[in-house]
Amino acid sequence: MLQDFRAEVRQWLEANCPASMRTPTMEEEEVWGGRKEQFKNPESKVWLERMAAKGWTAPEWPKAYGGGGLKPQEALILKEEMQRLGCRPPLLSFGIWMLGPVLLQYGTEEQKKKHLPEIVQGKVRWCQGYSEPAAGSDLASLQTRAELVGDQFIINGSKVWTSYADSSDWIFCLVRTDPNAGKQQGISFMLIDMNQPGVKAEPIRLISGASPFCEVFFSDAKTSKDNLIGPLNGGWQIAKALLTHERQAISEINKKASELPLEIQAKHKLPTRNGQLADEHFRQRLAAWHMDNTAFEWTLEREMSLQKAGHSPGAASSMFKLYGTELNKRKYELMMEVSGFQSLIWEGAGDEKDRQATRDWLRSKGNSIEGGTSEIQLNVIAKRVLGLP
């Protein structure tokens, strides 16, 4: 049966994946969806629509909510066949990686039917409103308020380091709904439409020159009480569940579809002898990274299989996040050595890929801060995994 499914998937991909979608993704052609998506490559729109129609942007979500309804073994086959053909991911989405799993677990039937199909189809782009100017690592200190007035919540406050808020349509957000309760007890999780007068997103320019992060300001913004996920003042449990999905997603950040494998880049740019890299010391460090990365990928694959069988990673997601980010930083350090003097080029003439690699190297330094700092992850591992006092 699985062999029949593999043949069916292979045939469908061969017939429906456009030619340019079988090449490595260029960052400017990445598709995040939403109302502001511009599709710089027209074939990326065709590819998204065809995959979304099959539900294969979220292959394991139930068909009732627009997903593919595939079993774990079938989803793995789809992934393998896409890799074999070199297919680009049709959609990058915080909705798929973070919000969707939470809605499937905690959302009402009405909330699932309203939001999940739009996420699968890439019609709505989501961002995450967690960190605040005075509540980053100590997330439970957040002060953004939401007050229930009639059938609506009125929201006031601000968020910071909100990825791609200026390009997003909706935000999933932690807000304080009971200022008199304990830190974790007075928090709720709700969904807020960004397209309204009371919401403003301002990009933060980074040293890399990019502005992927924003400040978000709420001034008497409104959202229906129907957009409360889970119980009132019960958002902390949902927040922890979502962080688990976020940390696992960050741990896989070293799988960048737009990059050639590091070993191939090294062979293109560094001297070789008898088909091997001539620099033995660099070759050893590259091999060590490759072995560590392969072992880590296999560990994640095993964990994903366990999760599909109902196992929750819990605090172990902190180990994945910590190790994955360190691997990513090691990769870019090696990539800078491969590029040599070319890695000093920031702008002007030169290979665009070298300039992008330098920016990605700088960006990788933030991996150990976003989604909970490495120090936070070490504390979680010490207390909740190792049981240390």
Side-chain angles (χ1 to χ4, degrees):
M1 292 291 287
L2 288 178
Q3 288 305 313
D4 292 341
F5 180 75
R6 184 181 293 278
E8 177 188 334
V9 168
R10 184 172 296 184
Q11 184 178 22
W12 188 90
L13 290 175
E14 292 279 5
N16 289 279
C17 184
S20 65
M21 296 296 102
R22 306 182 191 192
T23 61
T25 306
M26 292 184 286
E27 191 161 357
E28 62 272 20
E29 292 187 4
E30 289 179 347
V31 174
W32 288 81
R35 298 164 188 149
K36 301 172 186 173
E37 180 63 64
Q38 294 186 347
F39 296 104
K40 292 187 177 178
N41 181 339
E43 288 192 332
S44 63
K45 184 173 186 290
V46 173
W47 180 223
L48 171 59
E49 289 173 345
R50 289 176 178 174
M51 287 289 281
K54 298 279 286 184
W56 285 358
T57 51
E60 293 184 64
W61 289 10
K63 284 190 174 182
Y65 309 129
L70 300 186
K71 298 174 183 175
Q73 300 94 329
E74 294 172 330
L76 179 59
I77 287 174
L78 172 62
K79 180 180 177 182
E80 290 173 347
E81 290 301 314
M82 288 180 68
Q83 290 175 339
R84 186 191 66 82
L85 198 60
C87 301
R88 296 183 184 183
L91 178 65
L92 308 177
S93 167
F94 293 151
I96 291 176
W97 301 330
M98 292 189 276
L99 178 60
V102 164
L103 285 178
L104 285 169
Q105 185 174 358
Y106 295 99
T108 64
E109 189 63 18
E110 290 73 20
Q111 290 167 340
K112 293 174 186 176
K113 287 183 175 177
K114 177 182 178 182
H115 296 292
L116 292 177
E118 291 184 330
I119 292 174
V120 171
Q121 296 164 23
K123 291 185 175 179
V124 173
R125 184 170 180 174
W126 289 85
C127 61
Q128 178 195 44
Y130 270 28
S131 296
E132 296 185 4
S137 296
D138 185 14
L139 183 59
S141 295
L142 63 90
Q143 294 299 316
T144 295
R145 289 284 309 278
E147 182 182 2
L148 184 60
V149 179
D151 292 336
Q152 291 187 319
F153 286 99
I154 308 299
I155 304 111
N156 285 282
S158 65
K159 298 290 178 179
V160 72
W161 305 119
T162 307
S163 300
Y164 308 114
D166 56 336
S167 303
S168 298
D169 305 304
W170 281 67
I171 182 170
F172 47 92
C173 205
L174 287 179
V175 295
R176 187 160 297 284
T177 42
D178 184 351
N180 299 315
K183 285 173 63 175
Q184 286 87 356
Q185 282 71 44
I187 293 172
S188 296
F189 185 100
M190 59 182 59
L191 314 178
I192 303 169
D193 191 342
M194 300 280 284
N195 185 27
Q196 59 172 299
V199 181
K200 182 179 180 182
E202 293 187 351
I204 301 169
R205 189 172 176 81
L206 304 183
I207 190 174
S208 64
S211 302
F213 303 115
C214 294
E215 290 181 279
V216 179
F217 300 94
F218 300 101
S219 179
D220 290 334
K222 299 179 177 63
T223 196
S224 166
K225 66 178 183 180
D226 294 335
N227 289 320
L228 173 70
I229 308 298
L232 185 67
N233 300 321
W236 189 247
Q237 185 66 28
I238 300 174
K240 289 193 297 182
L242 190 143
L243 279 173
T244 297
H245 297 296
E246 180 188 19
R247 286 167 182 170
Q248 192 146 335
I250 293 174
S251 71
E252 300 182 64
I253 201 168
N254 58 339
K255 299 176 182 176
K256 189 169 182 180
S258 58
E259 289 175 352
L260 285 173
L262 183 53
E263 58 271 24
I264 293 179
Q265 292 191 46
K267 281 192 173 182
H268 283 173
K269 295 181 178 180
L270 297 178
T272 58
R273 186 186 307 124
N274 299 324
Q276 293 185 325
L277 295 174
D279 186 334
E280 183 178 352
H281 179 57
F282 183 84
R283 193 169 70 234
Q284 289 175 346
R285 288 189 292 133
L286 179 59
W289 179 86
H290 188 72
M291 287 190 292
D292 290 344
N293 188 56
T294 300
F296 184 59
E297 287 185 348
W298 288 353
T299 301
L300 287 180
E301 291 285 351
R302 185 188 64 199
E303 179 58 34
M304 290 301 292
S305 296
L306 289 172
Q307 287 183 37
K308 289 165 186 172
H311 169 78
S312 172
S317 62
S318 291
M319 296 193 298
F320 301 143
K321 196 270 179 179
L322 178 69
Y323 195 75
T325 55
E326 292 305 313
L327 266 180
N328 199 45
K329 289 195 290 186
R330 278 173 58 192
K331 180 184 77 172
Y332 280 109
E333 293 291 344
L334 291 168
M335 197 175 292
M336 290 299 95
E337 290 189 49
V338 168
S339 297
F341 288 119
Q342 295 299 314
S343 64
L344 298 175
I345 298 174
W346 186 253
E347 56 190 3
D351 191 330
E352 173 60 29
K353 291 181 179 177
D354 287 326
R355 291 200 297 271
Q356 185 59 49
T358 305
R359 286 170 164 74
D360 289 342
W361 167 71
L362 276 172
R363 176 65 182 84
S364 71
K365 306 300 181 185
N367 296 158
S368 53
I369 299 174
E370 59 196 344
T373 65
S374 291
E375 287 74 18
I376 292 291
Q377 309 309 323
L378 288 168
N379 278 335
V380 172
I381 294 167
K383 292 180 178 178
R384 296 178 57 196
V385 178
L386 301 178
L388 298 176

